[in-house]
């Protein structure tokens, strides 16, 4: 049981800690909204990680071959979504900055529910996550098949690890939002975030 717990925690942190486009978007989203919205988005990412850990654990060796034909389309869809979010983030930041100095109403921020499902969908579009968990599951298998309780512990631990890291990112975004109190600073941060997300999205195509 302890082995399954440690393996799940390592797997969860292993996929969560490298801060890519999704992590960057999570931090930026929280910085310009609220911690509540950011926490909901973080749970969306962790839910996707947990689902992929579940699929990989149950599906085993059947997962990787089944994904092979759709890996490229998923990659292109993921890039398209990330680029759209980067463009939307930059556009929203510029519009918000301009409306501060006018009488036009500022559009409301996303709700926690919409933030949750947005980040859930973004993470589910990433085939790397499920291939990562499948490789870990297959690599850890030996002559002894894990029991159901051991599999459950592994999946739960992976979800908890991802959740804690994503919540840490959203908290850092909330702190960043408090530090950047001037409109120009918030605009600069949003535009930088969009540029980073764009670069990371394009990098997916060459990896």
């Amino acid at each position: 049981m302890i082995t399954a717990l440690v393996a799940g925690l390592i797997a969860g942190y292993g996929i969560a800690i490298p801060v890519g486009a999704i992590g960057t978007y999570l931090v930026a989203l929280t910085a310009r909204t609220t911690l509540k919205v950011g926490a909901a988005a973080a749970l969306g990412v962790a839910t996707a990680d947990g689902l992929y850990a579940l699929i990989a654990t149950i599906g085993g060796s059947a997962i990787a071959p089944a994904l092979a034909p759709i890996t490229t389309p998923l990659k292109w869809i993921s890039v398209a979504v990330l680029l759209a979010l980067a463009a939307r983030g930059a556009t929203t930041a510029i519009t918000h900055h301009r409306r501060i100095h006018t009488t036009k109403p500022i559009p409301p921020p996303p709700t926690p529910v919409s933030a949750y499902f947005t980040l859930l969908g973004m993470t589910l579009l990433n085939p790397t996550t499920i291939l990562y968990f499948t490789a870990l599951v297959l690599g850890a298998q030996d002559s002894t098949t894990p029991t159901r309780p051991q599999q459950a512990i592994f999946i739960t631990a992976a979800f908890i690890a991802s959740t804690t890291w994503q919540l840490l990112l959203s908290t850092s975004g909330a702190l960043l939002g408090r530090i950047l109190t001037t409109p120009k600073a918030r605009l600069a941060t949003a535009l930088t975030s969009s540029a980073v997300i764009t670069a990371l999205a394009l990098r997916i195509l060459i990896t």
Side-chain angles (χ1 to χ4, degrees), residues 142-161:
D142 51 24
S143 58
T144 303
T145 303
T147 63
R148 291 297 183 187
Q150 288 175 328
Q151 291 177 341
I153 290 174
F154 173 85
I155 296 166
T156 302
F159 172 74
I160 292 173

Side-chain angles (χ1 to χ4, degrees), residues 12 15-16 22-31 33-51 110-124 158-174:
I15 192 65
I22 293 177
T24 303
Y25 179 78
L26 175 59
V27 172
L29 175 67
T30 314
T33 56
T34 64
L35 181 57
K36 185 177 181 179
V37 172
L43 290 176
V45 178
T47 299
D49 288 343
L51 286 174
T111 64
V113 174
S114 65
Y116 172 86
F117 283 106
T118 298
L119 270 294
L120 173 63
M122 287 173 59
T123 310
L124 287 175
F159 172 74
I160 292 173
S162 179
T163 299
T164 55
W165 181 257
Q166 305 305 335
L167 287 174
L168 178 62
L169 287 181
S170 63
T171 301
S172 68

Side-chain angles (χ1 to χ4, degrees), residues 57-70:
T57 301
I58 295 176
S61 58
I63 297 299
L67 276 182
I70 63 171

Side-chain angles (χ1 to χ4, degrees), residues 29 92 178 192 199 202:
L29 175 67
T92 301
R178 290 184 179 182
T192 300
L202 295 177

Side-chain angles (χ1 to χ4, degrees), residues 1-2 8 13-14 16 22 26 28 32 43 53 80 84 91 93 122 130-131 136 142 156 160 182 190 194 196 203:
M1 296 296 183
I2 298 298
Y13 283 121
I22 293 177
L26 175 59
R32 69 173 186 266
L43 290 176
T91 302
M122 287 173 59
I130 192 168
L131 292 175
L136 280 181
D142 51 24
T156 302
I160 292 173
T182 66
S194 293
V196 171
R203 184 182 177 185

